[in-house]
Amino acid sequence: MNLKVFMNFKTFIILALALTVLASSGCEGFHSEGAQKESANFSLNSSPVKYASVNGVELGYREFGSGEPLLLIMGFGGTMDMWNATFVERLAQDYRVISFDNRGIGFSSDNEGPFSPALLAGDAAGLLDALGIPQAHVLGTSMGASIAQELVLNHPEKVDKLILSSAAYSVNVPETVLLENMLRSCATNSDLDPAVRKQADANLKWNGTYEHLPEIRSKTLLLVGTDDEFTPPSITLEIAEKLPEADYIVFEGAKHCGERFLPAEYSKAVLDFLHEGKPSKLTGNAP
């Protein structure tokens, strides 16, 4: 079977099963259909999938726009084709946006070993190396924010400015109990694709970054919504207080991975931060 055809089919199966588990756990899916609205003049499929050999696997990636590189790291169970198109389009007007599938997901292969956020961060660093990019701005959402934290801690020279959307420093704290329960459901569900189960297991076994957050020297922007049930604003505030250089924005009414629902507002915040080093305004306060 043609590899690309197989991976597309695999992507469909992963996402369908993942969303089934999320729904059955009583949680709204991270990547609900209503949030994935295409731009009238832009499509995520407008850029062909390319491949890079990284750490013993093949990572599928897409590129949009030009300028300074901005690496997007997707969250749990998601593929690069699940970013909000309007969000990516607006970022690509000023930056070379690079999105990719984490190993074992979508167009990326797996070598059957266990996952960890540090391993996936190493893949992100390896992708930048494969593309000849010594340093990039990095944006991670949900699990992608955990990977981005590991990237900036383990490969600080690779990260210029850092943007974390719906971030957590651990999934084993009281504020993230809903997220932890959902991940436990996924980790033990034999109907799910093995890569999704390994992602869930990696999150549950992650030691977190809380004690190491002060070591992050990259200027950082944290984004979260008031209605984020998985990584509530209180977590964002805790992270911001530990970082030497951090701003945060709390978006009224936004749910988990709020760039899906408010792509114009989130992209403006990101662009303001990348252009000026700080957001134009704070739209709310963490509790």
Side-chain angles (χ1 to χ4, degrees), residues 33-39 84-86 260:
E33 181 180 355
Q36 300 302 313
K37 294 181 180 178
E38 290 291 307
S39 168
N84 181 285
T86 298
R260 300 173 299 142

Side-chain angles (χ1 to χ4, degrees), residues 152-196:
V152 74
L153 287 167
N154 297 326
H155 309 272
E157 75 285 353
K158 296 291 185 187
V159 181
D160 189 349
K161 293 175 182 174
L162 178 67
I163 304 102
L164 305 176
S165 176
S166 291
Y169 56 80
S170 170
V171 301
N172 299 306
V173 294
E175 297 91 335
T176 58
V177 63
L178 187 61
L179 175 61
E180 181 182 8
N181 289 340
M182 184 276 294
L183 291 169
R184 291 195 186 282
S185 295
C186 289
T188 58
N189 190 321
S190 60
D191 291 331
L192 280 177
D193 184 276
V196 175

Side-chain angles (χ1 to χ4, degrees), residues 20-142:
T20 298
V21 170
L22 289 167
S24 65
S25 67
C27 307
E28 177 176 323
F30 284 178
H31 308 287
S32 62
E33 181 180 355
Q36 300 302 313
K37 294 181 180 178
E38 290 291 307
S39 168
N41 302 312
F42 177 85
S43 171
L44 295 174
N45 294 323
S46 62
S47 174
V49 178
K50 302 175 184 177
Y51 295 89
S53 297
V54 174
N55 298 333
V57 298
E58 294 290 314
L59 296 184
Y61 68 95
R62 298 184 192 268
E63 296 187 71
F64 307 91
S66 61
E68 296 178 7
L70 171 58
L71 183 70
L72 305 184
I73 307 180
M74 176 50 74
F76 174 72
T79 72
M80 60 181 165
D81 293 336
M82 298 184 75
W83 289 102
N84 181 285
T86 298
F87 181 69
V88 174
E89 177 187 24
R90 295 195 176 202
L91 297 178
Q93 290 175 0
D94 291 344
Y95 291 90
R96 175 187 176 189
V97 177
I98 303 158
S99 62
F100 71 101
D101 287 332
N102 290 305
R103 65 167 61 201
I105 299 292
F107 290 96
S108 294
S109 66
D110 186 13
N111 61 7
E112 307 308 324
F115 292 173
S116 70
L119 174 68
L120 300 178
D123 290 345
L127 177 59
L128 293 176
D129 285 338
L131 296 178
I133 299 173
Q135 188 178 69
H137 304 304
V138 174
L139 186 157
T141 188
S142 189

